[in-house]
Amino acid sequence: MASNQKVASWQGQMRASVRSVDDLARVLSLTQEELDGARRAEREGLPLAITPYYLSLCDPRDPHCPVRMQCVPRFDESVEVPGDLVDPLGEIAHEVAPHLVRRYPDRVLLLATDRCAVYCRFCTRSRMVGDGGGPISLANLELALSWISRRPEIREVIVSGGDPLAMATPRLERLVAAIRAIPSIETIRLATRVPVTLPMRITRELTRALCKYHPIWVMTHFNHPKELTPESIAACERLVDAGFPVMNQSVLLRGVNDDADVLEALFRGLIRARVRPYYLLQADPVRGTGHLRTSLAKGISIMEKLQGRISGIALPKLICDTPGGRGKVPLSPAWVVSESSGETVLRTFRGEHVSYIDPPD
């Protein structure tokens, strides 16, 4: 496997990705649990793929490294716990056309590819990503695009997969142009983790090709301050400078970022890179990810510690995407102490109780 320093292009990084136990063991000192997990990933389930760049962020000796825990398989992935689901967000049940999911009145999710630069071990779509199909041709997306065009109430398309920015630029541009040609579509969102796992993908060629179709918002997924490298920060800045608002959705992961100090450092770093922390997501109950998930109470406790400690622009919403695809629910500490006729007692982040008096009707 080529080192990170020797692979400059994003295409070269993809070609040099680690995809086997032998290649992984040459770079990392693997535990038995990781060896067993990687062997299992070669045979079944979510495959193994890590770019040289992202692998270079892993501590080669520490199995508890927060980057390593996100990308190196563990044998725990073979264990199912109560509540685990193959399709936790009910996307199969909410499919309205091939590769098209509708869970909300005004927006749809277009699954344009099954490929990613790195296969994150907590992936919501582990049922389908990396199955070998690759990007979906525009011809095979025609039914989905036609469905959207016949429904003017649809105002927004979220392009995901897989990772749409792992597609070649001309293919991605043709898809974005086809979406933008639908008169009712106001906003396009690209859901991607390549600023984190493959930052050299954010090239001027890419931003020049896509900026013609603004407004396009980029939704990315930084989960730990260790991922905020000079390369990834520069990738985000290239997007912002080209007119792409960048929002971040962190996934709350046990042993990775389930700590207020870690998340504070992450959110402050994102703001410095002009990336808005948007959501802190309760990890979806994907089959085989119980070892990476936290309780709902853990996330609420962390948000309570962060309230008032960091600026509001750095504080995301804590969100649980409800099982079965019933929609996102915001979670919050209990700041309302009591309510009576015309008066509400609120608890501040300092623990003070303050009365708010409603105006008369």
Side-chain angles (χ1 to χ4, degrees):
M1 186 201 73
S3 71
N4 176 50
Q5 289 75 19
K6 293 180 181 177
V7 184
S9 73
W10 72 271
Q11 297 97 332
Q13 286 271 329
M14 294 282 282
R15 288 192 294 269
S17 292
V18 165
R19 299 179 184 275
S20 72
V21 177
D22 291 343
D23 283 346
L24 190 62
R26 279 192 278 271
V27 182
L28 305 179
S29 177
L30 298 175
T31 66
Q32 189 61 50
E33 184 186 12
E34 290 173 322
L35 277 168
D36 292 343
R39 289 183 181 122
R40 179 179 177 273
E42 284 187 321
R43 300 190 309 269
E44 59 181 305
L46 183 64
L48 166 67
I50 313 171
T51 58
Y53 164 80
Y54 198 63
L55 191 60
S56 76
L57 306 185
C58 296
D59 187 313
R61 290 171 294 280
D62 182 10
H64 302 293
C65 163
V67 175
R68 182 164 161 170
M69 289 180 68
Q70 294 181 64
C71 63
V72 175
R74 297 184 180 224
F75 194 70
D76 286 333
E77 292 177 16
S78 66
V79 178
E80 290 190 47
V81 300
D84 276 8
L85 297 167
V86 174
D87 178 19
L89 302 186
E91 291 177 344
I92 295 171
H94 289 86
E95 188 177 70
V96 291
H99 316 293
L100 188 69
V101 177
R102 183 188 191 183
R103 297 197 298 141
Y104 298 96
D106 69 334
R107 55 202 180 275
V108 288
L109 172 71
L110 185 65
L111 301 177
T113 179
D114 75 328
R115 300 265 175 89
C116 292
V118 171
Y119 293 123
C120 304
R121 308 320 299 177
F122 50 89
C123 180
T124 294
R125 299 193 186 99
S126 59
R127 71 184 189 277
M128 59 161 278
V129 300
D131 71 359
I136 312 299
S137 71
L138 202 55
N140 286 336
L141 292 174
E142 185 55 42
L143 286 175
L145 295 172
S146 176
W147 188 96
I148 298 168
S149 67
R150 296 194 305 272
R151 288 163 177 82
E153 68 273 19
I154 302 298
R155 306 293 187 88
E156 182 174 12
V157 176
I158 302 158
V159 185
S160 187
D163 194 319
L165 295 194
M167 296 162 57
T169 301
R171 181 190 288 271
L172 179 58
E173 182 180 3
R174 288 193 295 271
L175 173 58
V176 170
I179 297 169
R180 178 53 70 213
I182 300 172
S184 64
I185 298 305
E186 298 170 353
T187 307
I188 298 170
R189 274 197 261 174
L190 300 177
T192 176
R193 208 166 185 233
V194 302
V196 184
T197 61
L198 188 68
M200 55 285 296
R201 172 64 183 109
I202 310 301
T203 60
R204 282 192 171 83
E205 175 216 26
L206 177 69
T207 57
R208 285 173 181 162
L210 297 184
C211 70
K212 301 189 290 286
Y213 308 100
H214 276 321
I216 298 174
W217 291 60
V218 173
M219 317 302 292
T220 192
H221 302 272
F222 287 87
N223 290 327
H224 193 274
K226 196 172 181 180
E227 297 170 331
L228 283 169
T229 65
E231 294 91 343
S232 67
I233 291 170
C236 292
E237 290 175 341
R238 284 194 292 272
L239 286 165
V240 175
D241 288 344
F244 298 84
V246 182
M247 310 278 272
N248 189 74
Q249 302 180 109
S250 298
V251 180
L252 189 61
L253 298 168
R254 183 190 301 182
V256 173
N257 61 7
D258 57 338
D259 177 271
D261 292 336
V262 169
L263 288 175
E264 178 182 353
L266 173 64
F267 299 153
R268 289 187 185 278
L270 288 167
I271 289 296
R272 288 195 298 272
R274 292 179 287 163
V275 176
R276 171 73 161 93
Y278 177 53
Y279 284 160
L280 175 61
L281 292 165
Q282 175 70 18
D284 295 326
V286 188
R287 184 176 62 185
T289 64
H291 61 293
L292 287 172
R293 301 201 304 271
T294 68
S295 66
L296 288 177
K298 180 72 171 181
I300 293 170
S301 173
I302 289 171
M303 293 301 289
E304 184 169 13
K305 291 174 183 175
L306 291 176
Q307 180 68 35
R309 179 166 151 183
I310 57 176
S311 164
I313 64 171
L315 194 66
K317 292 180 182 178
L318 176 63
I319 293 290
C320 178
D321 210 342
T322 55
R326 301 302 179 181
K328 296 180 178 71
V329 173
L331 305 173
S332 175
W335 302 112
V336 175
V337 177
S338 64
E339 295 177 272
S340 60
S341 179
E343 180 179 357
T344 303
V345 178
L346 304 173
R347 178 170 60 92
T348 73
F349 74 95
R350 294 186 178 92
E352 306 156 316
H353 289 190
V354 180
S355 290
Y356 182 89
I357 308 300
D358 290 337
D361 290 337

